[in-house]
Amino acid sequence: MNAIPAPAPLLEVRDLQTTFDLGRNIQIKAVDGVSFSVQPGETLAIVGESGSGKSVTSLSIMGLLPKGTGRVTRGQILLRGRDLVTLPEREMRKVRGKDIGMIFQEPMTSLNPVHTIGHQIAEVIIEHQGLSQAKAQERAIEMLSLVGIPESRRRADNFPHQMSGGMRQRAMIAMALSCQPSVLIADEPTTALDVTIQAQILELMKDLQSELGMAMIFITHDLGVVAEVADRVIVMYASQVVESGPVADIFERPQMPYTAGLLKSIPRLGSSVLHQRLETIPGQVPMLSRLPSGCRFRTRCAHALPACAQTEPPLSLTPDGREVRCLRWAELTLAEGIPA
């Protein structure tokens, strides 16, 4: 029998490189050779410390890099086979909101303070669906109800500062989903929320994804959240992918020392906080303008050898189908992660 071909990915990023000009002929690669794909209905998590390139990757996909300083200098971003990198800005505006929605990291700075929540959601609907102002406003109210905001008709007339952090985040989700995009990018959507609201937001997003069948890219530094929502995970460090694979495999058997270090820094259910200190990764993410030679993680890695300073490790394919960027991945036995 002939093998059934794998379905084409909804979104595919190929060898993406995003460069920033800092002036004085100084350039840095904020995203360096990143590749991944997302299938319809799948959730891909991108994790890593601040400065690893997670948010710049999402802004590159959306075409929202700072004008004059940031640009995609290599690679492709294919949405159903259409390369977004080559689209003129006029065409890209049609993609944002309609085909790809985005929940930004901080709603208070992403929402317009001088317009009501209902007006801002309706504006997106008018732009992409061509509805009248009255019908778009009704649709906005429906979206606020969908994301669990009570008294949605009254709340639609609120300004952002009149809502709590959790309510603003729900309003951002309503705006991102208002045109039923095929892909949703969620950039740290629960960062500033308390645990109860965070759980409600995550449950809401999973329910809406199931209902709408969209793909989701979930950007976070919180590996506990990844275990809740993701099917696959990409770990980024210093603008590169250092490990990727199914979330259960990554959490149970990390093969890159950086991934193992992130997992060890998470409190485990059942451990005694009185007698067991959480492990930390020494040092900090290097400046992209002063990257160490060889492996970018070697100055913080307990397993580094002299060879790690000589050769930049490639992204290798493991026997179980994962990817890992480490010269010693085949010989290292790293401590177990946390159950996914």
Side-chain angles (χ1 to χ4, degrees), residues 186-260:
D187 187 1
E188 303 275 10
T190 60
T191 296
L193 306 180
D194 62 52
V195 176
T196 302
I197 299 299
Q198 181 184 83
Q200 292 174 358
I201 294 294
L202 292 177
E203 191 63 32
L204 168 65
M205 292 177 68
K206 286 193 290 185
D207 289 345
L208 292 174
Q209 181 186 29
S210 177
E211 180 179 334
L212 299 175
M214 63 188 174
M216 185 157 66
I217 299 174
F218 201 99
I219 298 171
T220 183
H221 65 276
D222 189 336
L223 287 169
V225 170
V226 172
E228 286 286 323
V229 303
D231 301 303
R232 289 187 299 119
V233 59
I234 287 175
V235 183
M236 290 188 68
Y237 182 79
S239 79
Q240 293 182 326
V241 174
V242 295
E243 188 164 2
S244 69
V247 66
D249 292 346
I250 296 288
F251 274 44
E252 292 172 8
R253 298 182 307 280
Q255 294 185 288
M256 166 67 181
Y258 177 63
T259 308

Side-chain angles (χ1 to χ4, degrees), residues 29-30 32 51-53 236-240 242 285-286 288 291 296-297:
K29 298 174 184 175
D32 190 5
S52 61
M236 290 188 68
Y237 182 79
S239 79
Q240 293 182 326
V242 295
V285 178
L288 296 179
L291 291 171
R296 298 182 182 187
F297 183 62

Side-chain angles (χ1 to χ4, degrees), residues 36-96:
F36 60 84
S37 61
V38 194
Q39 300 287 348
E42 181 183 32
T43 298
L44 174 72
I46 303 178
V47 303
E49 294 170 280
S50 296
S52 61
K54 308 184 303 297
S55 293
V56 177
T57 298
S58 68
L59 293 175
S60 300
I61 294 172
M62 295 293 289
L64 292 175
L65 295 168
K67 294 187 182 300
T69 57
R71 67 191 190 280
V72 173
T73 48
R74 192 180 71 212
Q76 296 177 299
I77 301 170
L78 303 175
L79 178 66
R80 297 191 183 91
R82 185 187 189 192
D83 190 359
L84 303 184
V85 174
T86 62
L87 291 186
E89 177 58 24
R90 183 178 61 182
E91 291 298 312
M92 193 61 203
R93 280 199 296 266
K94 297 176 182 178
V95 172
R96 294 189 205 106

Side-chain angles (χ1 to χ4, degrees), residues 141 144-145 148-158 163 167:
I141 293 168
L144 291 175
S145 296
I149 293 182
E151 301 182 76
S152 56
R153 187 169 297 276
R154 180 177 66 85
R155 286 291 190 176
D157 292 329
N158 283 172
M163 289 183 157
M167 286 290 186

Side-chain angles (χ1 to χ4, degrees), residues 122 126 131-141 153:
I126 293 170
L131 298 183
S132 66
Q133 180 67 49
K135 289 184 178 179
Q137 188 71 17
E138 286 300 313
R139 174 66 176 159
I141 293 168
R153 187 169 297 276

